Coordinates of all heavy atoms in Angstrom, one line a residue:
K1 N 0.8 -1.2 0.0 CA 0.0 0.0 0.0 C 0.9 1.3 0.0 O 0.5 2.3 -0.5 CB -0.9 0.0 1.2 CG -1.8 1.2 1.3 CD -2.9 1.1 2.3 CE -3.7 2.3 2.2 NZ -4.9 2.3 3.0
L2 N 2.0 1.2 0.6 CA 2.9 2.4 0.7 C 3.7 2.6 -0.6 O 4.4 3.6 -0.7 CB 3.8 2.3 1.9 CG 3.1 2.3 3.2 CD1 4.1 2.0 4.3 CD2 2.4 3.7 3.5
G3 N 3.6 1.7 -1.5 CA 4.3 1.8 -2.8 C 5.8 1.4 -2.7 O 6.6 1.7 -3.6
L4 N 6.2 0.7 -1.7 CA 7.5 0.2 -1.6 C 7.6 -1.3 -2.0 O 6.7 -2.0 -1.8 CB 8.0 0.3 -0.1 CG 8.0 1.7 0.5 CD1 8.3 1.7 2.0 CD2 8.9 2.6 -0.3
K5 N 8.7 -1.6 -2.5 CA 9.0 -3.0 -2.9 C 9.4 -3.8 -1.7 O 10.2 -3.3 -0.9 CB 10.0 -3.1 -4.0 CG 9.5 -2.5 -5.3 CD 10.6 -2.6 -6.4 CE 10.1 -1.9 -7.7 NZ 11.1 -2.0 -8.7
Y6 N 8.9 -5.0 -1.6 CA 9.3 -5.9 -0.5 C 9.2 -7.3 -0.9 O 8.6 -7.7 -1.8 CB 8.4 -5.6 0.8 CG 7.0 -5.9 0.5 CD1 6.5 -7.2 0.9 CD2 6.1 -5.0 0.0 CE1 5.2 -7.6 0.7 CE2 4.8 -5.4 -0.3 CZ 4.3 -6.6 0.1 OH 3.0 -7.0 -0.1
E7 N 9.9 -8.1 -0.1 CA 9.9 -9.6 -0.2 C 9.5 -10.2 1.1 O 10.1 -9.7 2.1 CB 11.2 -10.1 -0.7 CG 11.6 -9.5 -2.1 CD 13.1 -9.8 -2.3 OE1 13.5 -11.0 -2.2 OE2 13.8 -8.9 -2.7
T8 N 8.7 -11.2 1.1 CA 8.4 -11.9 2.4 C 9.0 -13.3 2.3 O 9.0 -14.0 1.3 CB 6.9 -12.0 2.6 OG1 6.3 -12.6 1.5 CG2 6.3 -10.6 2.8
Y9 N 9.5 -13.7 3.4 CA 10.0 -15.1 3.6 C 9.4 -15.7 4.8 O 8.6 -15.0 5.5 CB 11.6 -15.0 3.8 CG 12.2 -14.4 2.6 CD1 12.6 -13.1 2.6 CD2 12.5 -15.2 1.5 CE1 13.2 -12.5 1.5 CE2 13.1 -14.6 0.3 CZ 13.5 -13.3 0.4 OH 14.1 -12.7 -0.7
E10 N 9.7 -16.9 5.1 CA 9.1 -17.6 6.3 C 9.2 -16.9 7.6 O 8.3 -16.8 8.4 CB 9.6 -19.0 6.4 CG 8.9 -19.9 7.4 CD 9.4 -21.3 7.4 OE1 9.8 -21.8 6.3 OE2 9.5 -21.9 8.5
T11 N 10.4 -16.3 7.8 CA 10.7 -15.7 9.1 C 11.1 -14.2 9.1 O 11.5 -13.7 10.1 CB 11.7 -16.5 9.9 OG1 12.9 -16.5 9.1 CG2 11.3 -17.9 10.2
E12 N 11.0 -13.6 7.9 CA 11.4 -12.2 7.7 C 10.8 -11.5 6.6 O 10.2 -12.2 5.7 CB 13.0 -12.2 7.6 CG 13.5 -12.9 6.4 CD 15.0 -13.0 6.4 OE1 15.7 -13.0 7.5 OE2 15.6 -13.1 5.3
V13 N 10.9 -10.2 6.6 CA 10.4 -9.4 5.5 C 11.6 -8.5 5.1 O 12.2 -7.9 6.0 CB 9.2 -8.5 5.9 CG1 8.8 -7.6 4.8 CG2 8.0 -9.4 6.3
V14 N 11.8 -8.4 3.8 CA 12.9 -7.5 3.3 C 12.2 -6.3 2.6 O 11.4 -6.5 1.7 CB 13.8 -8.2 2.3 CG1 14.8 -7.2 1.7 CG2 14.5 -9.3 3.0
I15 N 12.4 -5.1 3.1 CA 11.8 -3.9 2.5 C 12.9 -3.2 1.8 O 13.9 -2.8 2.4 CB 11.1 -3.0 3.5 CG1 10.1 -3.8 4.3 CG2 10.6 -1.7 2.9 CD1 9.5 -3.0 5.5
H16 N 12.7 -3.0 0.5 CA 13.7 -2.3 -0.3 C 13.7 -0.8 -0.2 O 12.6 -0.3 0.1 CB 13.6 -2.7 -1.8 CG 13.8 -4.2 -2.0 ND1 15.0 -4.8 -2.1 CD2 12.9 -5.2 -2.1 CE1 14.9 -6.1 -2.3 NE2 13.6 -6.4 -2.3
P17 N 14.8 -0.1 -0.3 CA 14.8 1.3 -0.1 C 13.8 2.0 -1.1 O 13.6 1.6 -2.2 CB 16.2 1.7 -0.5 CG 17.0 0.5 -0.2 CD 16.1 -0.7 -0.6
G18 N 13.2 3.0 -0.6 CA 12.2 3.8 -1.4 C 11.7 4.9 -0.5 O 11.9 5.0 0.7
I19 N 10.9 5.8 -1.1 CA 10.3 6.9 -0.4 C 8.8 6.9 -0.7 O 8.4 6.7 -1.8 CB 10.9 8.2 -0.9 CG1 12.4 8.3 -0.6 CG2 10.2 9.4 -0.3 CD1 13.1 9.5 -1.1
V20 N 8.1 7.1 0.4 CA 6.6 7.2 0.3 C 6.3 8.5 -0.3 O 6.7 9.6 0.2 CB 5.9 7.0 1.6 CG1 4.4 7.2 1.5 CG2 6.3 5.6 2.2
E21 N 5.7 8.5 -1.5 CA 5.5 9.8 -2.3 C 4.2 10.5 -2.0 O 4.0 11.7 -2.3 CB 5.5 9.5 -3.8 CG 6.9 8.9 -4.2 CD 8.0 10.0 -4.4 OE1 7.6 11.2 -4.4 OE2 9.1 9.6 -4.4
K22 N 3.2 9.8 -1.4 CA 1.9 10.4 -1.1 C 1.4 10.0 0.2 O 1.7 8.9 0.7 CB 0.9 10.2 -2.2 CG 0.5 8.8 -2.5 CD -0.5 8.6 -3.6 CE -0.9 7.2 -3.7 NZ -1.9 7.0 -4.7
K23 N 0.5 10.9 0.8 CA 0.0 10.6 2.1 C -0.8 9.3 2.1 O -1.5 9.0 1.2 CB -1.0 11.7 2.4 CG -1.6 11.7 3.8 CD -2.5 12.9 4.0 CE -3.2 12.9 5.4 NZ -3.9 14.1 5.6
Q24 N -0.5 8.5 3.1 CA -1.1 7.1 3.2 C -1.6 6.9 4.6 O -1.1 7.4 5.6 CB -0.1 6.0 2.9 CG 0.4 6.1 1.5 CD -0.6 5.6 0.5 OE1 -1.4 4.8 0.8 NE2 -0.5 6.1 -0.7
Q25 N -2.7 6.1 4.7 CA -3.2 5.6 6.0 C -3.0 4.1 6.1 O -3.4 3.4 5.1 CB -4.6 6.0 6.3 CG -5.1 5.5 7.6 CD -6.5 6.0 7.9 OE1 -6.8 7.2 7.8 NE2 -7.4 5.1 8.3
V26 N -2.4 3.6 7.1 CA -2.2 2.2 7.3 C -2.5 1.7 8.7 O -2.4 2.5 9.6 CB -0.7 1.8 6.9 CG1 -0.4 2.0 5.5 CG2 0.3 2.5 7.8
S27 N -2.9 0.5 8.8 CA -3.3 0.0 10.1 C -2.1 -0.8 10.7 O -1.4 -1.5 10.0 CB -4.4 -1.0 9.9 OG -4.7 -1.7 11.1
S28 N -1.9 -0.6 12.0 CA -0.9 -1.3 12.7 C -1.3 -2.7 13.1 O -0.5 -3.5 13.5 CB -0.5 -0.6 14.0 OG -1.6 -0.7 14.9
G29 N -2.6 -3.0 12.9 CA -3.2 -4.3 13.4 C -3.0 -4.4 14.9 O -2.9 -5.6 15.4
N30 N -2.9 -3.3 15.6 CA -2.7 -3.3 17.1 C -1.4 -4.0 17.4 O -1.3 -4.6 18.5 CB -3.9 -4.0 17.8 CG -5.0 -3.0 18.0 OD1 -4.8 -1.9 18.4 ND2 -6.2 -3.5 17.6
D31 N -0.4 -3.9 16.6 CA 0.9 -4.5 16.8 C 1.9 -3.3 17.1 O 2.2 -2.6 16.2 CB 1.4 -5.3 15.6 CG 2.7 -6.0 15.8 OD1 3.6 -5.5 16.6 OD2 2.9 -7.1 15.2
P32 N 2.4 -3.2 18.3 CA 3.2 -2.1 18.7 C 4.5 -2.1 17.9 O 5.1 -1.0 17.6 CB 3.5 -2.2 20.2 CG 3.2 -3.6 20.5 CD 2.1 -4.1 19.5
Y33 N 5.0 -3.2 17.4 CA 6.3 -3.2 16.7 C 6.0 -2.7 15.3 O 6.9 -2.1 14.7 CB 6.8 -4.7 16.7 CG 7.2 -5.1 18.1 CD1 6.4 -6.0 18.7 CD2 8.3 -4.6 18.7 CE1 6.6 -6.4 20.0 CE2 8.6 -5.0 20.0 CZ 7.7 -5.9 20.7 OH 8.0 -6.3 22.0
I34 N 4.8 -2.9 14.7 CA 4.5 -2.3 13.4 C 4.4 -0.8 13.6 O 4.9 -0.1 12.7 CB 3.2 -2.9 12.9 CG1 3.3 -4.4 12.7 CG2 2.7 -2.2 11.7 CD1 4.3 -4.8 11.6
V35 N 3.8 -0.3 14.7 CA 3.8 1.1 14.9 C 5.2 1.7 14.9 O 5.5 2.7 14.3 CB 3.1 1.4 16.2 CG1 3.2 2.9 16.5 CG2 1.6 1.0 16.2
M36 N 6.1 1.0 15.6 CA 7.5 1.5 15.7 C 8.1 1.5 14.3 O 8.8 2.5 13.9 CB 8.3 0.7 16.6 CG 7.9 0.8 18.1 SD 8.8 -0.3 19.1 CE 8.4 0.4 20.7
A37 N 8.0 0.5 13.5 CA 8.6 0.4 12.2 C 8.0 1.4 11.3 O 8.8 2.1 10.6 CB 8.4 -1.0 11.6
L38 N 6.7 1.6 11.3 CA 6.1 2.6 10.4 C 6.5 4.0 10.8 O 6.6 4.9 10.0 CB 4.6 2.4 10.4 CG 4.0 1.2 9.7 CD1 2.5 1.0 10.0 CD2 4.3 1.2 8.2
S39 N 6.7 4.2 12.1 CA 7.1 5.6 12.6 C 8.5 5.9 12.1 O 8.7 7.0 11.6 CB 7.1 5.6 14.1 OG 5.8 5.4 14.6
V40 N 9.4 5.0 12.1 CA 10.7 5.2 11.5 C 10.6 5.4 10.0 O 11.3 6.3 9.5 CB 11.7 4.0 11.9 CG1 13.0 4.2 11.2 CG2 11.8 4.0 13.4
L41 N 9.8 4.6 9.3 CA 9.6 4.8 7.9 C 9.1 6.2 7.6 O 9.5 6.9 6.7 CB 8.7 3.7 7.3 CG 8.4 3.8 5.9 CD1 9.6 3.7 5.0 CD2 7.3 2.8 5.5
A42 N 8.2 6.7 8.4 CA 7.6 8.0 8.2 C 8.6 9.1 8.3 O 8.4 10.1 7.7 CB 6.4 8.2 9.3
L43 N 9.6 8.9 9.1 CA 10.7 9.9 9.2 C 11.4 10.2 7.8 O 11.9 11.2 7.5 CB 11.8 9.5 10.2 CG 11.5 9.6 11.6 CD1 12.6 8.9 12.5 CD2 11.3 11.0 12.1
L44 N 11.4 9.1 7.0 CA 12.0 9.2 5.7 C 11.0 9.5 4.5 O 11.5 9.7 3.4 CB 12.7 7.9 5.4 CG 13.7 7.4 6.4 CD1 14.2 6.0 6.1 CD2 14.8 8.4 6.6
S45 N 9.8 9.7 4.8 CA 8.7 9.9 3.8 C 8.6 11.3 3.4 O 8.8 12.2 4.3 CB 7.4 9.4 4.3 OG 7.5 8.0 4.6
K46 N 8.2 11.6 2.2 CA 8.0 12.9 1.7 C 6.6 13.4 2.2 O 6.4 14.6 2.4 CB 8.0 13.0 0.2 CG 9.3 12.9 -0.4 CD 9.3 13.0 -1.9 CE 10.7 13.0 -2.5 NZ 10.6 13.2 -3.9
E47 N 5.7 12.5 2.5 CA 4.3 12.8 2.9 C 4.0 12.0 4.2 O 4.7 11.0 4.5 CB 3.3 12.4 1.8 CG 3.5 13.2 0.5 CD 3.1 14.7 0.7 OE1 2.3 15.0 1.6 OE2 3.7 15.5 0.0
P48 N 3.0 12.5 4.9 CA 2.6 11.8 6.2 C 2.2 10.3 6.0 O 1.6 10.0 5.0 CB 1.5 12.6 6.7 CG 1.5 13.9 6.0 CD 2.2 13.6 4.7
I49 N 2.5 9.5 7.0 CA 1.9 8.2 7.1 C 1.0 8.2 8.3 O 1.5 8.5 9.4 CB 3.0 7.1 7.2 CG1 3.9 7.1 6.0 CG2 2.3 5.8 7.5 CD1 5.0 6.1 6.1
I50 N -0.3 8.0 8.1 CA -1.2 7.9 9.3 C -1.3 6.5 9.7 O -1.6 5.6 8.9 CB -2.6 8.4 8.8 CG1 -2.5 9.9 8.3 CG2 -3.6 8.3 10.0 CD1 -3.7 10.4 7.6
I51 N -1.0 6.2 11.0 CA -0.9 4.9 11.5 C -2.1 4.7 12.5 O -2.2 5.4 13.5 CB 0.4 4.6 12.3 CG1 1.6 5.0 11.4 CG2 0.4 3.2 12.8 CD1 2.9 5.1 12.2
T52 N -3.1 3.9 12.1 CA -4.2 3.7 13.0 C -3.9 2.6 14.0 O -3.0 1.8 13.9 CB -5.4 3.2 12.2 OG1 -5.2 2.0 11.5 CG2 -5.8 4.3 11.1
E53 N -4.6 2.7 15.1 CA -4.4 1.8 16.3 C -3.0 2.0 16.9 O -2.4 1.0 17.4 CB -4.6 0.3 16.0 CG -6.0 0.0 15.6 CD -6.1 -0.5 14.1 OE1 -5.1 -0.8 13.5 OE2 -7.3 -0.5 13.6
A54 N -2.4 3.2 16.8 CA -1.0 3.4 17.2 C -0.9 3.4 18.7 O 0.2 3.3 19.3 CB -0.5 4.7 16.6
E55 N -2.0 3.6 19.4 CA -1.9 3.7 20.9 C -1.4 2.4 21.5 O -1.0 2.4 22.7 CB -3.3 4.0 21.5 CG -4.4 3.0 21.3 CD -5.1 3.1 20.0 OE1 -4.8 3.9 19.1 OE2 -6.0 2.2 19.7
C56 N -1.4 1.3 20.8 CA -1.0 0.0 21.3 C 0.5 0.1 21.7 O 1.0 -0.7 22.5 CB -1.2 -1.1 20.3 SG -0.3 -1.0 18.8
V57 N 1.2 1.0 21.1 CA 2.7 1.1 21.4 C 2.9 1.4 22.8 O 4.0 1.1 23.4 CB 3.4 2.2 20.4 CG1 3.1 3.6 20.9 CG2 4.8 1.9 20.3
Y58 N 2.0 2.1 23.5 CA 2.1 2.4 24.9 C 2.3 1.1 25.8 O 2.8 1.2 26.9 CB 1.0 3.2 25.4 CG 0.8 4.6 24.8 CD1 -0.3 5.0 24.2 CD2 1.9 5.4 24.8 CE1 -0.4 6.2 23.6 CE2 1.8 6.7 24.2 CZ 0.6 7.1 23.6 OH 0.5 8.3 23.0
N59 N 1.8 0.0 25.3 CA 1.9 -1.2 26.1 C 3.3 -1.7 26.3 O 3.6 -2.4 27.2 CB 1.0 -2.3 25.4 CG -0.4 -2.0 25.4 OD1 -0.9 -1.3 26.3 ND2 -1.1 -2.5 24.4
I60 N 4.2 -1.4 25.3 CA 5.6 -1.9 25.5 C 6.6 -0.8 25.6 O 7.7 -1.0 26.1 CB 6.0 -2.8 24.3 CG1 5.9 -2.1 23.0 CG2 5.1 -4.1 24.2 CD1 6.7 -2.8 21.9
Q61 N 6.2 0.4 25.1 CA 7.2 1.5 25.2 C 6.4 2.8 25.4 O 6.1 3.5 24.4 CB 8.0 1.6 23.9 CG 9.0 2.7 23.8 CD 10.3 2.2 24.5 OE1 10.6 1.1 24.6 NE2 11.1 3.2 24.9
G62 N 6.1 3.1 26.6 CA 5.2 4.2 27.0 C 5.5 5.6 26.4 O 4.7 6.4 26.1
D63 N 6.8 5.8 26.2 CA 7.3 7.1 25.7 C 7.8 7.1 24.3 O 8.5 8.0 23.9 CB 8.3 7.7 26.7 CG 9.6 6.9 26.7 OD1 9.6 5.8 26.3 OD2 10.6 7.5 27.2
F64 N 7.4 6.1 23.6 CA 7.9 5.9 22.2 C 7.6 7.1 21.3 O 8.5 7.6 20.6 CB 7.4 4.7 21.5 CG 7.9 4.6 20.1 CD1 9.2 4.2 19.8 CD2 7.1 4.9 19.0 CE1 9.7 4.2 18.5 CE2 7.5 4.8 17.7 CZ 8.8 4.5 17.5
L65 N 6.4 7.6 21.4 CA 6.0 8.7 20.5 C 6.8 10.0 20.8 O 7.2 10.8 19.9 CB 4.5 8.9 20.5 CG 3.7 7.8 19.9 CD1 2.2 8.0 20.0 CD2 4.1 7.4 18.5
K66 N 7.1 10.2 22.1 CA 8.0 11.3 22.5 C 9.4 11.1 22.0 O 10.0 12.1 21.6 CB 7.9 11.5 24.0 CG 6.6 12.1 24.5 CD 6.6 12.4 26.0 CE 5.2 12.9 26.3 NZ 5.2 13.5 27.6
Q67 N 9.8 9.9 22.0 CA 11.2 9.6 21.5 C 11.3 9.8 20.0 O 12.3 10.4 19.6 CB 11.6 8.2 21.9 CG 11.8 7.9 23.3 CD 12.1 6.4 23.6 OE1 11.9 5.6 22.7 NE2 12.6 6.2 24.8
I68 N 10.3 9.4 19.3 CA 10.3 9.6 17.8 C 10.2 11.1 17.5 O 10.8 11.6 16.5 CB 9.3 8.7 17.1 CG1 9.6 8.5 15.7 CG2 7.9 9.3 17.2 CD1 10.6 7.4 15.4
E69 N 9.5 11.9 18.3 CA 9.4 13.3 18.1 C 10.8 13.9 18.3 O 11.2 14.9 17.6 CB 8.4 13.9 19.0 CG 7.0 13.8 18.6 CD 6.0 14.4 19.6 OE1 6.1 14.2 20.8 OE2 5.1 15.1 19.1
S70 N 11.6 13.4 19.3 CA 12.9 14.0 19.6 C 13.9 13.8 18.5 O 14.9 14.5 18.5 CB 13.4 13.4 20.9 OG 13.9 12.0 20.6
V71 N 13.6 13.0 17.5 CA 14.5 12.8 16.4 C 13.9 13.4 15.1 O 14.4 13.2 14.0 CB 14.9 11.4 16.1 CG1 15.8 10.8 17.3 CG2 13.7 10.5 15.9
G72 N 12.9 14.2 15.2 CA 12.4 15.0 14.1 C 11.0 14.7 13.6 O 10.5 15.3 12.7
A73 N 10.3 13.7 14.2 CA 9.0 13.4 13.7 C 8.0 14.4 14.2 O 8.2 14.9 15.3 CB 8.6 12.0 14.1
T74 N 6.9 14.6 13.5 CA 5.8 15.3 13.9 C 4.7 14.3 14.2 O 4.3 13.6 13.3 CB 5.3 16.3 12.8 OG1 6.4 17.2 12.5 CG2 4.1 17.1 13.3
V75 N 4.3 14.3 15.5 CA 3.2 13.3 15.9 C 1.9 14.1 16.1 O 1.9 15.1 16.9 CB 3.6 12.6 17.1 CG1 2.5 11.7 17.6 CG2 4.9 11.8 16.9
E76 N 0.9 13.7 15.4 CA -0.4 14.3 15.6 C -1.4 13.2 16.1 O -1.3 12.1 15.6 CB -1.0 14.9 14.3 CG -0.2 16.1 13.8 CD -0.8 16.6 12.5 OE1 -2.0 16.6 12.3 OE2 0.0 17.0 11.6
Y77 N -2.2 13.6 17.0 CA -3.2 12.6 17.6 C -4.5 12.9 17.0 O -5.1 14.0 17.1 CB -3.2 12.7 19.1 CG -1.9 12.4 19.7 CD1 -0.9 13.4 20.0 CD2 -1.5 11.1 20.1 CE1 0.3 13.2 20.5 CE2 -0.3 10.8 20.6 CZ 0.6 11.8 20.9 OH 1.8 11.6 21.4
I78 N -5.0 12.0 16.3 CA -6.3 12.1 15.6 C -7.3 11.2 16.3 O -7.1 10.0 16.4 CB -6.2 11.7 14.1 CG1 -5.2 12.5 13.4 CG2 -7.6 11.8 13.4 CD1 -4.8 12.0 12.0
H79 N -8.4 11.8 16.8 CA -9.4 11.0 17.5 C -10.7 11.0 16.6 O -11.1 12.0 16.2 CB -9.7 11.6 18.8 CG -8.5 11.7 19.7 ND1 -8.1 10.6 20.4 CD2 -7.7 12.7 20.0 CE1 -7.0 10.9 21.0 NE2 -6.7 12.2 20.8
N80 N -11.2 9.8 16.4 CA -12.5 9.7 15.6 C -13.7 9.8 16.5 O -13.7 9.4 17.6 CB -12.5 8.4 14.8 CG -11.4 8.3 13.8 OD1 -11.0 9.3 13.3 ND2 -11.0 7.1 13.5

């Protein structure tokens, strides 16, 4: 969905270098590690990546969003 090339294997995923060119919304599937990975990817994107169910990251790393902001990310909280 993000327009990046990737390969999946039995125990790993390889994501090839690329840049997200347009604003995207993706679901974390309530997986805090997916939130973390997508947050790092968003740092390199030209456009925002909206990560749904991102609050699950608090279960394993309560201050993660503050940490990602400290390295240049802009975090916005959207409530439906």
Side-chain angles (χ1 to χ4, degrees):
K1 180 170 181 173
L2 295 172
L4 301 174
K5 293 181 183 179
Y6 64 92
E7 300 169 49
T8 58
Y9 299 96
E10 187 175 325
T11 60
E12 60 189 29
V13 176
V14 176
I15 301 172
H16 296 278
I19 296 177
V20 177
E21 297 284 344
K22 62 182 183 174
K23 183 177 180 178
Q24 296 287 331
Q25 179 172 311
V26 294
S27 171
S28 71
N30 280 312
D31 184 330
Y33 299 103
I34 297 297
V35 173
M36 292 177 168
L38 289 171
S39 297
V40 172
L41 178 62
L43 285 170
L44 305 173
S45 299
K46 288 185 176 183
E47 295 293 330
I49 296 176
I50 300 167
I51 307 166
T52 62
E53 297 116 13
E55 66 278 359
C56 66
V57 77
Y58 296 126
N59 295 331
I60 63 163
Q61 183 81 24
D63 64 345
F64 176 75
L65 297 178
K66 288 185 183 195
Q67 289 177 348
I68 202 81
E69 284 179 312
S70 74
V71 295
T74 300
V75 176
E76 294 181 33
Y77 299 90
I78 302 170
H79 301 283
N80 293 333

